Amino acid sequence: MNRDDFPILSETVYGKPLVYLDNAATTQKPRQMLDAMADAYLYRNANIHRGVHHLSQVATERHEQARQRVAEFLGARSEKEIVFTKGTTDSINMLAFSFGEAFVRKDDEIIVSQLEHHSNIVPWQMLCERKQARLRVLPLDGNLRIDASALEGLVNERTRLISVAHVSNVLGAIQPVEDIVRIAQRHHIPVCIDGAQSAPHMPIDVQALDCDFYVCSAHKMYGPTGLGVLYGKQEWLEQLPPAEGGGEMIDHVRFEKTTYNQLPYKFEAGTPDFIGSCAFAAALDYIDSAGRESVCRHESELTDYLERRLAETEGVRIYSKGTAKAGAVSFNVYQGDRLLHPFDVGTLLDRQGVAVRTGHHCAEPLMDYLHILGTVRASIALYNNREDIDALIAALRKAIAMLG
Ligand code: PLP
């Protein structure tokens, strides 16, 4: 890994060197990923799967190799279990619709947790409205982690699916998904893991996790925007109906009856992002060339350092303090009882070149639970270093002095 692979990191904002700590929203892109994208557009651009001509076949081959690369990266048993989508949100919407059509009836229940991203709440809520089913909510423990032990009391014969985050996008805290899967399996309930914030930061092995579904976004993993993954165990995907109709997803179309394509194509209606998939494969190669274990180690050391430096800063309150984290730390600043508005803090950090995110982070139910409107979130990626954290802390101290 070389910071020079990310030209944007050498940019300045307001005349100050950019310190990019908004990686949980989206990561910056290495040249290698962009080269792969340019190469695909410049030399291998033809619509896939349908053409007999050479270019179409090459493009098809590259797209399918990219699928295999994703399958290998996530530890899937087969590339048939990898559905390309537009991103995590699209993956969950697709699953909620498709699973809902097949398995959810009136009075059934779906379980999510208190700390989910809206993307892992609203699609299930919409499904529940469609089917007159109920959304149940797993509570948090004192450290703001999902209380897996509460699951036993929540599941019943009407529970159809559990969908939880692997890593909270607000708190950065790693969630007890292994415990949740173990309990769910005792009750034969499938589990979907929202991996939007775990896939970029830790080695993922969906077979070891033994989850039924896992979703993530390429743009949070140094890859292109508008591309994501829905992993599903083959035995589940076989049972689910397509969520969308169109080209590619069919076997034969007759006005009387249409039959559907095999996995995973039955879930991929229309022309897929066959350029983005090649670029995503290059992004995964990039992560692997840095070494997933060493990226994980580097980032967790950096997250610990970030939390320690924040804790030393007067008035800073860290959420889910001391829990194992991957990538993000959320905090607020208090002067006595007065909360400095996270938006004001974020704006003053921005003026000093430091990019962080402020607000509810698409997790309003978690904000309600914490009785706050928002937090300041600093989030890291493999290219960040201690100097970035030191720059944040120095800028934060100035911001606090100004707001005081
Ligand atoms: N789930 C989590 C935990 C996230 O952090 C995000 C994005 O921040 C999403 C879902 C939605 O991802 P996307 O906007 O890429 O679809």
Side-chain angles (χ1 to χ4, degrees):
M1 203 292 299
N2 183 343
R3 265 173 87 102
D4 292 342
D5 293 336
F6 300 84
I8 207 168
L9 298 178
S10 308
E11 291 290 287
T12 53
V13 288
Y14 313 113
K16 307 269 179 358
L18 169 67
V19 176
Y20 187 74
L21 293 170
D22 191 20
N23 295 284
T26 198
T27 57
Q28 299 304 341
K29 315 303 173 195
R31 286 184 197 280
Q32 290 82 342
M33 187 283 276
L34 295 160
D35 288 347
M37 181 174 271
D39 180 82
Y41 268 130
L42 292 172
Y43 305 111
R44 270 163 272 282
N45 180 43
N47 207 334
I48 61 167
H49 291 149
R50 284 171 272 227
V52 290
H53 63 82
H54 175 75
L55 213 48
S56 171
Q57 289 180 9
V58 172
T60 303
E61 211 170 285
R62 291 295 177 103
H63 181 64
E64 291 309 322
Q65 279 169 1
R67 194 191 304 279
Q68 276 169 13
R69 183 73 185 88
V70 175
E72 182 208 349
F73 192 87
L74 296 179
R77 199 171 292 127
S78 150
E79 64 277 6
K80 288 185 186 158
E81 300 181 317
I82 302 298
V83 178
F84 282 124
T85 65
K86 290 186 291 200
T88 301
T89 305
D90 190 38
S91 300
I92 298 175
N93 274 284
M94 187 183 281
L95 179 63
F97 182 82
S98 178
F99 186 90
E101 285 304 289
F103 294 109
V104 179
R105 305 278 171 272
K106 186 172 182 298
D107 296 330
D108 284 348
E109 297 182 355
I110 303 286
I111 297 179
V112 297
S113 90
Q114 183 76 44
L115 56 67
E116 300 307 317
H117 189 283
H118 297 162
S119 292
N120 197 28
I121 298 174
V122 184
W124 302 114
Q125 214 166 27
M126 290 163 72
L127 161 65
C128 288
E129 271 171 28
R130 262 195 324 272
K131 298 283 179 173
Q132 294 177 276
R134 262 190 306 275
L135 195 66
R136 308 287 308 271
V137 182
L138 258 173
L140 307 182
D141 67 18
N143 265 338
L144 301 180
R145 286 177 86 227
I146 298 171
D147 184 359
S149 67
L151 189 55
E152 282 289 1
L154 212 55
V155 293
N156 59 48
E157 73 288 352
R158 312 280 351 197
T159 312
R160 291 291 163 260
L161 183 135
I162 300 164
S163 191
V164 286
H166 198 174
V167 170
S168 158
N169 67 302
V170 179
L171 311 164
I174 301 170
Q175 302 303 317
V177 289
E178 291 83 358
D179 295 342
I180 291 170
V181 169
R182 197 166 27 76
I183 296 167
Q185 284 180 346
R186 278 211 292 274
H187 298 270
H188 309 288
I189 300 165
V191 175
C192 170
I193 295 182
D194 176 352
Q197 299 296 343
S198 60
H201 299 295
M202 57 178 80
I204 298 297
D205 182 339
V206 287
Q207 286 187 69
L209 282 169
D210 209 11
C211 55
D212 301 276
F213 304 99
Y214 181 95
V215 295
C216 58
S217 294
H219 73 96
K220 294 184 193 288
M221 304 165 72
Y222 314 98
T225 53
L227 187 76
V229 176
L230 165 60
Y231 157 83
K233 280 184 182 166
Q234 189 168 342
E235 54 266 37
W236 274 114
L237 293 183
E238 300 278 14
Q239 295 178 68
L240 300 184
E244 293 176 345
E248 288 286 323
M249 51 73 73
I250 52 91
D251 176 25
H252 289 292
V253 177
R254 299 287 177 274
F255 284 118
E256 299 72 38
K257 168 113 188 114
T258 289
T259 52
Y260 302 131
N261 207 338
Q262 60 195 20
L263 288 180
Y265 311 112
K266 87 173 168 184
F267 294 106
E268 295 180 353
T271 299
D273 187 358
F274 55 86
I275 302 285
S277 61
C278 296
F280 187 32
L284 300 182
D285 288 346
Y286 190 84
I287 299 174
D288 275 342
S289 71
R292 267 186 273 173
E293 293 289 352
S294 46
V295 167
C296 187
R297 217 170 20 250
H298 167 72
E299 290 184 350
S300 73
E301 276 168 22
L302 212 53
T303 313
D304 287 351
Y305 181 66
L306 169 60
E307 187 163 314
R308 205 165 61 244
R309 294 292 325 266
L310 282 169
E312 288 163 9
T313 309
E314 203 179 325
V316 167
R317 186 176 300 171
I318 296 164
Y319 297 96
S320 201
K321 191 173 172 198
T323 58
K325 296 201 174 60
V329 180
S330 250
F331 62 95
N332 267 315
V333 185
Y334 286 83
Q335 288 186 330
D337 284 343
R338 185 168 77 99
L339 168 71
L340 301 187
H341 199 293
F343 180 82
D344 295 338
V345 175
T347 304
L348 289 178
L349 291 176
D350 174 55
R351 294 292 146 157
Q352 300 173 77
V354 180
V356 294
R357 186 138 300 231
T358 62
H360 57 57
H361 314 292
C362 295
E364 284 190 307
L366 176 59
M367 297 300 127
D368 289 346
Y369 180 81
L370 294 170
H371 303 295
I372 51 177
L373 284 173
T375 72
V376 184
R377 180 188 69 188
S379 57
I380 58 166
L382 51 71
Y383 39 70
N384 288 117
N385 53 31
R386 284 190 173 217
E387 288 83 79
D388 293 332
I389 309 297
D390 293 342
L392 163 70
I393 299 296
L396 181 61
R397 290 199 165 135
K398 272 195 202 156
I400 294 170
M402 287 163 84
L403 290 167

